[in-house]
Amino acid sequence: MIRLRRLQPLKSWNTFGIAETATYGTVCTRVEQLQSLCRRRELHGLPLLPLGAGSNVLFAEPFPGVVVRVRLRGIRCIAESAHEVLVEAAAGEPWHNFVRTCLTQGWYGLENLALIPGTVGAAPVHNIGAYGVEVAEFLEGVELLEYESGQLFWLPAAELGLGYRSSRLRTELLGRGILTRVRFRLLRRPHPRAEYPALAALLERERVRHPTPWDIFHAVCRLRRQRLPNPRRLPNAGSFFRNPIVPACWAQELRQRYPELPLFPAGADSVKIPAAWLIEQCGWKGYRRGNVGVAPQHALVLVNYGGASGREILQLAREIARSVWERFRIRLEPEVLILPAQAWQP
Ligand code: NAP
């Protein structure tokens, strides 16, 4: 049995705190509820939007369809060997709790991804990453409930087109179904990864020479708390833009004009440029206009100071992207899912 609410308020369903509505809204705690939703005839033809924590979405208009809060829970070990463990988690598990549970069980690998907002189901969609690790390295596969057929099937990680903060789940598979479960292949023995500069520097300052996975977990939590505004206090959706990836030869030309431009290798002939650096150079860090602004501690995070509309946030994002384009000739693309997608015109 599912309960559909007409004109569902979305303010508490997105961490930007945007007070839009959806034509219908519902909360599902069981897969059978999701399947029964797929069968509801009156909904056929309406777009369906599965939402976890709503931490990576910007509603620019009322949503003309059904928003489904996926609250499926559960974490279990499927199989283990001396070196690895296959772990399955339901899509609605809060990501940070999942990371902590894995560490408590002695399942290692995800500790650098501590405190990322959102749910387990969102992790493969955006191929979340932080502090030198991305979830693709540990992903085994995802279970999808197909809207049309109401059937469940598994997709192996190799078929998800996982790339830098991207996957087929947020492009061609977006309207195909709802993620219900995710499987991860984790390590039974600690393999701490502390090379990321900010992480290495913090551990060095704290004189942690041989960090354990828990040391990494706590250090990452501290770094994130210092640099990122808490959405409960200052509504936001984390990084608003992706770090642009550009041809290496072009970046070298830019470097001649801007010798301090940070560049990181990204594949054979490409480099990644931190979007936050570009935005800061254009003078936006800490900028505020009425209800909207750019976080004082991080130029990549757009914030809602209270009562902002999606359109206001979008307008600011467009101005930022335009100024980066005019100065550097680099196109910034949103990491946040903007709804409707065509509202994004830099
Ligand atoms: P930072 O250390 O100020 O560095 C800026 C950017 O440069 C980062 O986004 C990072 O790209 C890149 N970078 C720095 N050192 C690198 C290296 N050695 N190799 C490759 N890339 C490097 O970054 P920050 O903003 O404080 O963020 C720290 C970490 O948390 C980053 O990994 C970032 O992705 C993650 N983060 C995620 C979110 C989110 O909402 N999704 C928000 C903030 C931060 P990468 O982003 O590719 O790592």
Side-chain angles (χ1 to χ4, degrees):
M1 184 54 189
I2 49 160
R3 286 182 23 192
L4 280 177
R5 179 170 178 181
R6 257 195 81 80
L7 288 182
Q8 170 69 50
L10 296 172
K11 188 170 180 196
S12 63
W13 284 18
N14 70 100
T15 62
F16 250 135
I18 303 298
E20 282 296 355
T21 53
T23 312
Y24 295 102
T26 186
V27 178
C28 291
T29 53
R30 289 180 296 113
V31 172
E32 298 74 37
Q33 292 173 317
L34 291 170
Q35 286 173 314
S36 114
L37 189 68
C38 294
R39 285 194 295 269
R40 291 280 288 258
R41 296 198 134 266
E42 78 268 28
L43 303 178
H44 286 185
L46 285 183
L48 249 160
L49 175 69
L51 264 196
S55 56
N56 202 39
V57 64
L58 177 66
F59 291 103
E61 290 175 7
F63 184 76
V66 191
V67 174
V68 192
R69 272 213 116 175
V70 180
R71 286 253 180 88
L72 313 176
R73 303 295 290 266
I75 300 170
R76 64 190 182 125
C77 164
I78 301 281
E80 56 188 319
S81 69
H83 303 289
E84 288 182 336
V85 55
L86 188 59
V87 178
E88 182 179 283
E93 280 291 337
W95 176 259
H96 181 65
N97 291 350
F98 172 61
V99 172
R100 200 172 28 209
T101 302
C102 290
L103 276 183
T104 307
Q105 296 292 333
W107 305 333
Y108 305 115
L110 301 177
E111 47 276 7
N112 297 54
L113 307 181
L115 219 58
I116 293 187
T119 55
V120 163
V125 177
H126 311 291
N127 185 15
I128 58 170
Y131 299 101
V133 171
E134 52 181 40
V135 79
E137 297 171 48
F138 298 97
L139 210 58
E140 180 73 9
V142 301
E143 186 190 57
L144 202 70
L145 169 63
E146 199 175 45
Y147 296 138
E148 279 297 306
S149 63
Q151 299 294 314
L152 291 162
F153 63 93
W154 281 93
L155 281 171
E159 288 180 24
L160 298 179
L162 294 155
Y164 181 62
R165 304 292 184 274
S166 66
S167 79
R168 289 176 64 219
L169 294 164
R170 61 178 283 172
T171 53
E172 53 266 41
L173 294 174
L174 185 65
R176 180 140 172 223
I178 300 180
L179 275 189
T180 48
R181 289 183 287 184
V182 184
R183 284 186 182 169
F184 302 86
R185 192 168 288 282
L186 302 178
L187 306 169
R188 297 284 309 278
R189 301 217 177 104
H191 182 62
R193 307 257 294 268
E195 313 82 42
Y196 192 91
L199 180 57
L202 177 68
L203 293 166
E204 173 76 25
R205 275 199 303 283
E206 298 190 343
R207 296 178 200 285
V208 182
R209 295 265 141 70
H210 303 288
T212 65
W214 279 109
D215 291 329
I216 304 268
F217 174 89
H218 290 302
V220 166
C221 289
R222 274 202 292 286
L223 286 169
R224 291 190 73 101
R225 287 196 178 105
Q226 279 162 17
R227 290 217 69 196
L228 296 166
N230 182 338
R232 291 210 184 112
R233 287 193 216 110
L234 191 54
N236 71 80
S239 304
F240 194 92
F241 297 102
R242 279 201 202 113
N243 291 325
I245 294 185
V246 302
C249 53
W250 182 32
Q252 287 310 336
E253 268 176 44
L254 260 180
R255 230 223 196 126
Q256 289 182 350
R257 270 192 288 145
Y258 303 97
E260 66 292 4
L261 176 75
L263 299 175
F264 300 101
D269 294 314
S270 304
V271 292
K272 179 177 66 179
I273 302 180
W277 187 88
L278 300 169
I279 296 169
E280 203 172 332
Q281 294 301 305
C282 293
W284 291 104
K285 192 174 178 184
Y287 173 86
R288 179 171 178 177
R289 178 174 67 209
N291 297 330
V292 297
V294 178
Q297 60 275 61
H298 205 312
L300 207 46
V301 182
L302 270 56
V303 295
N304 172 5
Y305 281 103
S309 68
R311 288 271 162 197
E312 284 175 282
I313 305 249
L314 207 54
Q315 179 57 27
L316 176 61
R318 279 202 209 101
E319 287 175 34
I320 292 171
R322 201 174 306 129
S323 69
V324 166
W325 170 254
E326 279 163 10
R327 178 144 176 205
F328 298 103
R329 286 290 181 261
I330 291 177
R331 228 176 264 293
L332 288 184
E333 292 295 338
E335 180 169 318
V336 167
L337 179 68
I338 292 169
L339 292 168
Q342 59 273 23
W344 174 250
Q345 280 160 359

